[in-house]
């Protein structure tokens, strides 16, 4: 291949994907590798960074074997989930498995921090403290693993740890800095006060650069390991949602994005962020803008749980086919997908999942469809918060692995009442490749790169189904409220039994 190619590598919660594109946006090659998550205790979620790097090497070998010429790669960039950090000692040794963004172990630390410093943390970091952020996770490490905490010499967000393997760089971008909840949202840079709450100095944190800045070039050692050419440009990168919403076409206010991945998210672009208790903000790739985002903890992960727990012989396609046999509303069956607590709008790590309304008339089709509908209801919960804040939208780009299901896509439109647009390419690895192109000068800026974003399908709500879902959503919320005390009692009893 004589043309310049761009490589984007995205670390997701369940897999790592590498995508190579040409300057006109054509997909030249893709490869992916599953990533295993360790759950040593209920509410814990960890991954080994070594597994991430092994997945990078595997996917690159797959790309080269498929005919992609590594010498044609002009630039490479990484993305990964926010809040997932690697702790290193003074020798650069990883101290423990990386605590994931969906980990809920720091609930007690969150409660104490909210009681003593909740308003101050919101003012400094721009976001409400919850168990998903790195700050309370570091508080947990200090309380429960003091020997490890005392050895922390450097904290690296996941994508920055991976990028360092290529170019030796010691930086992060502003979006991942916010994800650590150790940033100064108003003044820029790191916050000494927030670092002190974590029991650390800002000196353990990398420098902050632009997401599209070139951070270095592929070293000889990295080239030997990966097959990339020595000197290939390496671009900083950003969080997966930042890259994914951009690559889906959320490039101006008024367009939203819904994501059906391990977690589900609802996002929109804003030029004037208003920090609040219920909406999360991060800097966006589009200069001068933030993206406001709300998330539900269990989305495709709940779908995967259903397959593994109840329908291992059906697989995803079989479950999808069975779900299509049930009517909208599942004849009263409701599913609350709080398998790992919940983020927006409840911010409650002690919520738990439930099937409610089961009767003899219900079967496998109802159970499968109710999971699709329950997740759609949680996204509507998030969307209602944005509407209440004056940040609602009528059209949304739909991204994530869940978009493979035509049934689920239509359920999302019917439950939310939104016009749903499905982009041709809308995943984070494609976004990472665009970022690599901006950094390398293949594209002049984000606006120039956005020319490559196209819609392949448009879905509009079905009025009859929407009426059914409006009524079911009211019951969904009422059942959640009724079950919350019981969920809290169950979680408390389980903690006592396993303490």
């Amino acid at each position: 291949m004589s043309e310049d190619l761009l490589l984007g590598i995205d670390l997701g919660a369940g897999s790592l994907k590498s995508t190579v594109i040409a300057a006109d946006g054509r997909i030249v090659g893709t490869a992916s590798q599953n990533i295993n998550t360790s759950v040593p205790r209920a509410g814990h979620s960890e991954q080994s960074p070594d597994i991430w790097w092994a997945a990078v090497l595997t996917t690159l070998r797959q790309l080269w074997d498929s005919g992609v010429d590594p010498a044609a790669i002009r630039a490479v960039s990484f993305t990964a989930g926010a809040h997932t950090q690697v702790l290193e000692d003074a020798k650069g040794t990883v101290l423990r498995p990386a605590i994931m963004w969906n980990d809920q172990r720091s609930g007690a630390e969150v409660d104490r921090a909210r009681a003593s410093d909740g308003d101050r943390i919101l003012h400094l970091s721009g976001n409400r403290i919850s168990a998903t952020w790195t700050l309370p996770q570091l508080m947990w490490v200090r309380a429960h693993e003091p020997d490890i905490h005392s050895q922390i010499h450097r904290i690296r967000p996941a994508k920055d740890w991976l990028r360092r393997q290529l170019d030796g760089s010691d930086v992060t971008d502003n979006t991942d800095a916010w994800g650590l909840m150790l940033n100064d949202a108003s003044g820029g840079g790191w916050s000494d006060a927030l670092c002190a709450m974590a029991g650390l100095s800002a000196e353990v944190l990398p420098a902050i650069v632009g997401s599209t800045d070139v951070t270095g070039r592929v070293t000889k050692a990295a080239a030997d390991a990966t097959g990339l050419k020595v000197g290939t440009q390496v671009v900083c990168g950003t969080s997966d949602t930042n890259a994914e919403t951009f690559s889906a076409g959320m490039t101006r206010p008024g367009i939203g994005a819904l994501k059906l991945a391990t977690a589900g998210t609802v996002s929109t672009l804003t030029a004037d962020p208003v920090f609040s208790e219920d909406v999360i903000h991060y800097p966006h790739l589009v200069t001068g803008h933030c993206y406001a985002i709300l998330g539900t903890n269990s989305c495709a992960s709940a779908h995967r749980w259903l397959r593994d727990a109840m329908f291992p012989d059906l697989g995803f396609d079989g479950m999808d086919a069975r779900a299509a046999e049930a009517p909208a509303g599942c004849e009263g069956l409701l599913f609350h997908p709080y398998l790992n607590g919940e983020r927006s709008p409840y911010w409650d790590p002690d919520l738990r999942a439930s099937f409610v309304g089961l009767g003899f008339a219900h079967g496998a089709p109802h159970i499968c469809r109710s999971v699709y509908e329950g997740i759609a209801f949680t996204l509507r919960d998030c969307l209602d918060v944005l509407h209440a804040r004056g940040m609602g939208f009528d059209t949304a780009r739909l991204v994530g692995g869940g978009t493979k299901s035509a049934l689920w896509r239509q359920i999302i439109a019917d439950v939310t009442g939104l016009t749903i647009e499905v982009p041709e390419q809308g995943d984070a690895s494609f976004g990472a490749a665009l970022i690599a192109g901006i950094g390398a000068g293949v594209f002049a800026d984000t606006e120039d790169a956005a020319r490559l974003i196209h819609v392949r399908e448009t879905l509009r709500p079905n009025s009859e189904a929407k009426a059914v879902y409006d009524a079911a959503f009211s019951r969904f919320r009422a059942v959640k409220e009724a079950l919350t005390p019981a969920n809290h009692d169950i979680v408390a009893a389980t903690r006592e039994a396993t303490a």
Side-chain angles (χ1 to χ4, degrees):
M1 300 179 184
S2 59
E3 60 184 330
D4 286 337
L5 302 179
L6 303 167
L7 171 61
I9 301 175
D10 172 59
L11 172 63
S15 65
L16 181 140
K17 183 178 181 182
S18 296
T19 295
V20 176
I21 70 171
D24 60 3
R26 286 180 296 111
I27 301 294
V28 176
T30 64
S32 62
Q33 178 71 20
N34 289 338
I35 302 288
N36 292 325
T37 298
S38 173
V39 184
R41 293 186 62 180
H44 290 213
S45 180
E46 302 179 347
Q47 291 181 356
S48 166
D50 289 338
I51 294 176
W52 305 340
W53 181 239
V56 170
L57 299 180
T58 297
T59 56
L60 293 184
R61 284 194 299 269
Q62 291 171 349
L63 287 171
W64 313 153
D65 290 345
S66 72
V68 176
D69 180 7
I73 303 294
R74 178 165 172 180
V76 56
S77 188
F78 288 86
T79 58
H83 319 296
T84 300
Q85 75 292 332
V86 180
L87 308 180
E88 293 181 348
D89 66 13
K91 296 180 179 179
T93 303
V94 176
L95 289 167
R96 66 170 333 279
I99 299 176
M100 301 291 290
W101 54 265
N102 57 353
D103 191 285
Q104 297 293 301
R105 76 185 68 187
S106 60
E109 284 73 22
V110 169
D111 290 343
R112 287 192 292 269
R114 279 184 58 78
S116 61
D117 293 294
D119 290 342
R120 188 179 183 208
I121 292 170
L122 175 63
H123 174 75
L124 289 170
S125 73
N127 288 300
R128 166 193 175 129
I129 188 170
S130 70
T132 197
W133 301 90
T134 298
L135 171 58
Q137 293 167 0
L138 291 170
M139 292 174 174
W140 184 93
V141 172
R142 179 174 55 179
H144 297 272
E145 298 175 347
D147 289 345
I148 289 176
H149 187 274
S150 66
Q151 297 179 67
I152 296 174
H153 181 76
R154 182 63 86 218
I155 299 174
R156 304 186 195 283
K159 69 102 170 44
D160 302 306
W161 185 87
L162 281 172
R163 191 194 60 253
R164 181 173 171 80
Q165 312 310 307
L166 288 187
D167 67 358
S169 59
D170 186 21
V171 299
T172 191
D173 74 308
N174 210 24
T175 303
D176 266 332
W178 282 43
L180 294 180
M181 195 167 262
L182 300 173
N183 63 296
D184 183 340
S186 299
W190 300 111
S191 166
D192 289 333
L194 292 173
C195 289
M197 292 181 194
L200 297 166
S201 163
E203 293 179 358
V204 305
L205 297 164
I208 300 173
V209 300
S211 301
T212 59
D213 285 358
V214 174
T215 59
R217 295 179 179 271
V218 173
T219 65
K220 175 64 166 57
D224 291 342
T226 63
L228 288 164
K229 183 175 62 177
V230 174
T232 301
Q233 292 184 87
V234 182
V235 177
C236 181
T238 188
S239 74
D240 56 355
T241 301
N242 194 8
E244 196 162 34
T245 56
F246 173 74
S247 70
M250 196 181 82
T251 58
R252 59 175 175 79
I255 295 179
L258 306 185
K259 180 178 179 180
L260 304 179
T262 298
T265 59
V266 178
S267 308
T268 191
L269 207 62
T270 175
D272 300 301
V274 178
F275 301 152
S276 68
E277 285 278 323
D278 50 8
V279 180
I280 301 170
H281 290 87
Y282 301 90
H284 195 261
L285 280 167
V286 177
T287 302
H289 289 72
C290 283
Y291 63 97
I293 179 171
L294 298 162
T296 177
N297 277 342
S298 302
C299 182
S301 53
H303 192 218
R304 189 181 309 113
W305 165 82
L306 181 69
R307 179 201 64 182
D308 295 344
M310 299 186 190
F311 303 106
D313 296 331
L314 281 181
F316 290 130
D317 290 341
M319 289 165 55
D320 201 60
R322 297 308 304 272
E325 298 171 13
C330 293
E331 296 178 302
L333 178 61
L334 294 171
F335 174 67
H336 292 78
Y338 310 136
L339 289 153
N340 195 29
E342 185 55 307
R343 284 188 283 174
S344 179
Y346 306 114
W347 305 106
D348 189 344
D350 293 344
L351 288 181
R352 288 297 178 265
S354 61
F355 287 100
V356 175
L358 272 169
F360 283 124
H362 295 117
H366 301 84
I367 291 173
C368 291
R369 186 183 184 109
S370 71
V371 170
Y372 286 165
E373 292 180 350
I375 294 166
F377 288 145
T378 65
L379 294 176
R380 179 166 168 177
D381 254 341
C382 296
L383 187 62
D384 282 357
V385 175
L386 289 179
H387 278 297
R389 289 278 174 182
M391 294 188 287
F393 43 85
D394 297 322
T395 300
R397 300 292 172 92
L398 189 67
V399 298
T403 60
K404 295 176 183 177
S405 168
L407 174 64
W408 204 357
R409 295 196 299 269
Q410 187 61 51
I411 287 173
I412 295 297
D414 295 341
V415 168
T416 62
L418 296 171
T419 296
I420 297 295
E421 297 178 340
V422 183
E424 284 185 1
Q425 307 295 338
D427 70 12
S429 63
F430 182 80
L434 294 179
I435 291 170
I438 297 170
V442 174
F443 311 119
D445 49 28
T446 54
E447 183 177 358
D448 187 30
R451 293 183 297 104
L452 306 182
I453 300 167
H454 305 287
V455 171
R456 65 173 173 83
E457 181 184 28
T458 300
L459 299 163
R460 291 180 173 81
N462 176 286
S463 58
E464 292 183 5
K466 185 178 184 304
V468 171
Y469 287 134
D470 285 347
F473 181 59
S474 296
R475 292 191 293 271
F476 177 89
R477 278 186 161 172
V479 170
K480 178 268 165 190
E481 292 300 324
L483 288 182
T484 293
N487 280 325
H488 289 179
D489 288 344
I490 290 168
V491 171
T494 302
R495 286 189 182 129
E496 290 178 6
T498 58

